[in-house]
Amino acid sequence: MNTITLLRNRAINSARRILIASNNPSFFLSPLHHHANDFPQPRFNLHRTQNPHPFRILGFRHESIGAHNRDVSTIARAGFKLRNFSTSIETRGGDNTFERIYIQSGVNVKPFTVESVHKGEENDVREEESLVEKQAWKLLKDAIVTYCGNPVGTVAANDPGDKSPLNYDQVFIRDFIPSALAFLLKGDNEIVKNFLLHTLQLQSWEKTVDCYSPGQGLMPASFKVRTVAIDGDTQEEVLDPDFGESAIGRVAPVDSGLWWIILLRAYGKITCDYSLQERVDVQTGLKMILKLCLTDGFDMFPSLLVTDGSCMIDRRMGIHGHPLEIQALFYSALRCSREILVVTDETNDLVRAINNRLSALSFHIRQYYWVDMKKMNEIYRYKTEEYSMDAINKFNIYPEQIPFWVMDWIPEKGGYLIGNLQPAHMDFRFFTLGNLWSIISSLSTQKQSESILNLMQEKWDDLVGHMPLKICYPALDNEEWRIITGSDPKNTPWSYHNGGSWPTLLWQFTLACIKMGRIELAQKAADLAEKRLPVDSWPEYYDTRSGKFIGKQARMYQTWTIAGFLTSKMLLKNPEKASMLFCEEDYDLLEYCVCGLSQRGRKKCSRIAAKSQILK
C-alpha cells in the first residue's frame, strides 16, 4: 500500500467515526454522490457552531473493486439548511448591490476587503528548503502584482533586463495557476482569494473585436493594473482585462474559465475555507462559465469545439477542432463544478447537464482518442465509407493517414491519448498537457493512465531529455510546418509550441506521477530541472529535440517556470497534499444514461460501453 492510499484511508476512517457520532442536523445527502477519494481530509471546523458548508455532501464510501464487482457502502446524515450567502463587495460610491458586480461601465473595479485565512501547521514544509528553492521563492514574491495595496496575482515574466516586456507584464489566469498552488501549499492564501474574486469581477465585459462581443461568462485571458488620471491631479488604479482582442490572432481564451473553476476547487480543498465558493457572486460566475461551455450548437460531439490559439498553444499549430488539452481541462472543470455547485431547484437542470456531459465525454475520449499497439492495428485495417449505425470506423478515418513515425515510436506496453479527432482526421501527436491532465482528472481509465506513464518512461529521451517536458511530440517540420503553421517564425521545428520543452509542465507531471504511485519519475524530472533552471535564469521554454538550448525567444525569469518548479518540489515533500488536487474515478458517472439509445432500438449506449471499459 503506497503512502497516498494509507493516508487517505486513515482520513476516511477518522471522518466516518466523527460522522457516525455526530448529531448535527446540518449533515445531509445531496442527489450527487461523492466518493471517499473526493474527501482526503475531514471537513470539520471545531471553531464554528454551524456547519461551514451546509450544501456539501458529507457521504463517505469505502470501495473494494474486484474483477466484476464493487462493495460500496454510503454513510451520511440528511438535512438541509439554507443560509444567506455573502455579497459583501465594495464598489463605486459604496454601492454593494449585486448588479454592480456584473454590470460594469468601465475598467475601474474597486478593491474589496478580504479576510485572510491564517496558515496552520499542516502547511509547514517538512524539509529544509534548498538554496535553489529559496531563490525561487524570492523571485516569485518579486513577481507579485498589487492592486490598491492588495496582492492580486503575478506577472507572466519579471526580467529586470527586458526593455520590451510586451504583454508579459500582465497577470494571466492560465499562468497564475502554478503560482496560486505554490502560495496555497505555503499557506499564503490571501493572494489567491483576491485573484479569484477580482477576475470574477472582470467576467463578461463588453469588449469587442470588429463590433462583435464575446459570449456571456467568458473569463479574460489576462489583466493589467493601470493608473489613470481622474478629476484634477488625482490618480486611481484600475484593472484592464484582455479577452483576446489584443492578443496575436485575436482569439478568445477558452481555457481561462476552466482553470478558474479548477483553482476555485483547489482553494477550498487546501484551505478548508468553503465560504468563498458558496458566495452568491461566485456561484453566479460559476454558472455563467458552465452555461457558456454547455451551450448546444451544431457540433455532434460531446467534446468542446474550439479554434486554434485558444489554450496554452496560443498560435497556429493545427489544433483547431477538439484538441485533447481543452477536453481534459473541460472534464476536470465539470468534475470540480459538480463538487462546488450549490444544488437548488434552479440548478437541477444544470447539474443534470453536467452529469450527462461528463458521462458522454469520458466515453468519447476513452474510446476514440486512445491509441496503443492493439488500437493501431485496428485503425490500420479500418474499412472506409461505412454508413450504418454499426460502423466500426465511425469518423471515416483513412488508414493511409497514420504517420510512419508513430508505428515505430509507440511501445509495446504503453499508449496515449491522441491530440485531436475530427471527421476523417486523427492528430497522432503526443500532447503532454492533455495526457497529464487526463490522468489527474481521471478522464483516462486506470489502465490507460498507467500506460501513458509507461510510454513517458519508455520515451524519456524524446519527452524529457535535458529539460522536462516536451509540449508536444514530434515537431512539425518541412512542408508540414509551412502548411500547418503558415511558416510561423516562432514555432520553428523543436521550438516554442512546436516541440519545445516547457519546465512549467513539471508540476502537472509530478501530480500525475504521485496519483499513479510513480513518484520516482517525478523526482527524476525535478532533479533535472533543479540543476539547470537557476543557471539558465529560469527561462520560459527550451529548444532543440532534446531540450538542450534555451529558447531563442524565451523570456527569462518566467514566473510559471519558477512556480511550477516550487509546486513540484512541495508536492514531492508532501505527497499527501496531491490528493486535494486530483480526482479519482467516479463510478456514479457510469450510471447516467446520456442518450436514451435503448429506446430507439439501438444496440449499445455510451453508459454500457463505459462500464465495460472500467469493470473488466
Side-chain angles (χ1 to χ4, degrees), residues 290 294 334 338 341 350-358:
L290 292 173
L294 294 171
L334 291 178
R338 210 173 60 147
L341 185 66
L350 185 57
V351 171
R352 191 177 301 110
I354 291 172
N355 289 328
N356 288 343
R357 193 62 166 265
L358 282 169

Side-chain angles (χ1 to χ4, degrees), residues 89-256:
I89 241 180
E90 182 183 347
T91 53
R92 285 186 205 89
D95 184 0
N96 62 349
T97 58
F98 176 75
E99 289 77 8
R100 292 300 296 272
I101 298 173
Y102 292 97
I103 304 174
Q104 312 202 26
S105 58
V107 297
N108 186 7
V109 182
K110 285 288 188 180
F112 42 79
T113 302
V114 176
E115 302 80 15
S116 297
V117 180
H118 297 291
K119 61 182 180 180
E121 293 180 0
E122 68 275 11
N123 289 316
D124 293 340
V125 179
R126 290 180 178 176
E127 300 177 13
E128 230 11 80
E129 291 178 346
S130 66
L131 292 176
V132 174
E133 291 172 78
K134 290 179 180 179
Q135 178 196 9
W137 272 115
K138 183 181 183 304
L139 292 171
L140 182 59
K141 291 177 180 178
D142 289 344
I144 290 176
V145 174
T146 60
Y147 172 57
C148 296
N150 298 314
V152 293
T154 52
V155 293
N158 191 32
D159 184 0
D162 189 359
K163 304 302 181 183
S164 179
L166 300 178
N167 62 346
Y168 283 80
D169 60 350
Q170 298 185 24
V171 180
F172 283 81
I173 290 184
R174 179 192 312 124
D175 293 37
F176 182 68
I177 301 303
S179 296
L181 294 178
F183 286 126
L184 289 174
L185 292 171
K186 188 78 168 178
D188 298 331
N189 306 322
E190 180 186 4
I191 185 174
V192 182
K193 190 170 186 177
N194 288 344
F195 172 85
L196 287 167
L197 290 174
H198 275 301
T199 49
L200 179 65
Q201 285 185 283
L202 298 175
Q203 188 182 34
S204 299
W205 275 56
E206 293 300 324
K207 290 206 170 188
T208 65
V209 174
D210 295 337
C211 304
Y212 187 79
S213 300
Q216 187 181 35
L218 184 70
M219 298 295 284
S222 63
F223 65 86
K224 185 179 177 66
V225 178
R226 300 185 186 276
T227 302
V228 297
I230 53 177
D231 299 335
D233 296 330
T234 308
Q235 291 186 329
E236 190 172 22
E237 288 186 340
V238 298
L239 296 178
D240 185 14
D242 178 14
F243 289 90
E245 71 278 1
S246 301
I248 294 176
R250 303 303 190 267
V251 178
V254 176
D255 61 342
S256 290

Side-chain angles (χ1 to χ4, degrees), residues 406-435:
V406 77
M407 297 181 181
D408 297 327
W409 189 71
I410 193 166
E412 290 286 341
K413 295 183 179 180
Y416 66 101
L417 295 166
I418 62 171
N420 210 331
L421 174 68
Q422 299 183 77
H425 173 71
M426 295 181 77
D427 186 345
F428 286 94
R429 285 176 292 175
F430 178 90
F431 287 87
T432 302
L433 179 58
N435 275 275

Side-chain angles (χ1 to χ4, degrees), residues 171-441:
V171 180
F172 283 81
I173 290 184
R174 179 192 312 124
D175 293 37
F176 182 68
I177 301 303
S179 296
L181 294 178
F183 286 126
L184 289 174
L185 292 171
K186 188 78 168 178
D188 298 331
N189 306 322
E190 180 186 4
I191 185 174
V192 182
K193 190 170 186 177
N194 288 344
F195 172 85
L196 287 167
L197 290 174
H198 275 301
T199 49
L200 179 65
Q201 285 185 283
L202 298 175
Q203 188 182 34
S204 299
W205 275 56
E206 293 300 324
K207 290 206 170 188
T208 65
V209 174
D210 295 337
C211 304
Y212 187 79
S213 300
Q216 187 181 35
L218 184 70
M219 298 295 284
S222 63
F223 65 86
K224 185 179 177 66
V225 178
R226 300 185 186 276
T227 302
V228 297
I230 53 177
D231 299 335
D233 296 330
T234 308
Q235 291 186 329
E236 190 172 22
E237 288 186 340
V238 298
L239 296 178
D240 185 14
D242 178 14
F243 289 90
E245 71 278 1
S246 301
I248 294 176
R250 303 303 190 267
V251 178
V254 176
D255 61 342
S256 290
L258 307 178
W259 279 121
W260 187 89
I261 294 174
I262 293 168
L263 180 59
L264 178 63
R265 185 244 190 188
Y267 177 88
K269 285 278 191 178
I270 295 176
T271 65
C272 294
D273 173 21
Y274 297 98
S275 61
L276 175 65
Q277 63 194 39
E278 291 171 352
R279 287 172 48 140
V280 68
D281 52 335
V282 174
Q283 286 287 315
T284 301
L286 172 63
K287 287 183 283 187
M288 289 171 65
I289 297 173
L290 292 173
K291 289 177 181 178
L292 178 66
C293 295
L294 294 171
T295 300
D296 293 332
F298 292 100
D299 193 43
M300 289 286 289
F301 297 170
S303 43
L304 201 59
L305 180 65
V306 298
T307 61
D308 248 339
S310 59
C311 55
M312 179 180 175
I313 298 177
D314 57 6
R315 298 169 76 93
R316 180 178 169 187
M317 271 288 290
I319 64 169
H320 56 278
H322 305 86
L324 176 64
E325 174 181 333
I326 290 296
Q327 313 317 317
L329 291 175
F330 183 39
Y331 182 84
S332 181
L334 291 178
R335 287 286 304 269
C336 294
S337 299
R338 210 173 60 147
E339 287 188 33
I340 61 184
L341 185 66
V342 174
V343 181
T344 64
D345 291 340
E346 296 179 356
T347 60
N348 281 335
D349 290 342
L350 185 57
V351 171
R352 191 177 301 110
I354 291 172
N355 289 328
N356 288 343
R357 193 62 166 265
L358 282 169
S359 180
L361 182 60
S362 62
F363 168 73
H364 186 81
I365 298 297
R366 292 171 177 182
Q367 182 73 15
Y368 303 122
Y369 277 62
W370 179 253
V371 292
D372 53 15
M373 283 299 295
K374 179 181 177 182
K375 188 65 179 286
M376 288 297 299
N377 272 285
E378 292 178 8
I379 298 172
Y380 186 72
R381 295 173 56 83
Y382 267 169
K383 295 180 180 179
T384 58
E385 316 301 330
E386 296 181 295
Y387 291 94
S388 69
M389 290 298 303
D390 297 326
I392 297 175
N393 186 4
K394 290 180 172 59
F395 305 103
N396 201 35
I397 303 300
Y398 299 104
E400 289 76 15
Q401 74 176 249
I402 300 176
F404 290 115
W405 68 263
V406 77
M407 297 181 181
D408 297 327
W409 189 71
I410 193 166
E412 290 286 341
K413 295 183 179 180
Y416 66 101
L417 295 166
I418 62 171
N420 210 331
L421 174 68
Q422 299 183 77
H425 173 71
M426 295 181 77
D427 186 345
F428 286 94
R429 285 176 292 175
F430 178 90
F431 287 87
T432 302
L433 179 58
N435 275 275
L436 291 180
W437 210 257
S438 295
I439 297 174
I440 295 166
S441 65

